Amino acid sequence: MALLTVQVRGQTLERLIFKHARGHVPGVVERVLDLNPGLAGLPDELPTGTTITVPTVTDAVRRPVTAPIRLTD
């Protein structure tokens, strides 16, 4: 787990997590909202100084869980 603090105006939760995780990782935003009660009640642009607990994103989390569907053989 890591603690992130909003340091710039106009920062959104999605942008903050995207930057921290170095890309889009499915389910991370939902996990952050679970870890930080009350965060969903804040405005879209997070107030400067807001501290957020973020889970560690590993390579195992980045891997797709299901295999792609093949339409032809």
Side-chain angles (χ1 to χ4, degrees):
M1 301 271 178
L3 286 175
L4 301 179
T5 303
V6 178
Q7 298 179 352
V8 295
R9 287 182 13 187
Q11 185 72 280
T12 63
L13 180 61
E14 291 81 6
R15 269 192 234 143
L16 188 69
I17 293 171
F18 186 87
K19 186 176 179 181
H20 173 73
R22 290 176 290 203
H24 174 72
V25 181
V28 175
V29 172
E30 291 81 2
R31 179 77 175 119
V32 169
L33 291 171
D34 288 341
L35 290 171
N36 298 276
L39 187 61
L42 294 177
D44 289 340
E45 293 183 357
L46 299 169
T48 305
T50 303
T51 302
I52 301 169
T53 303
V54 182
T56 303
V57 178
T58 62
D59 287 337
V61 175
R62 292 177 188 276
R63 291 188 189 120
V65 176
T66 58
I69 298 172
R70 297 179 74 185
L71 300 177
T72 60
D73 289 325

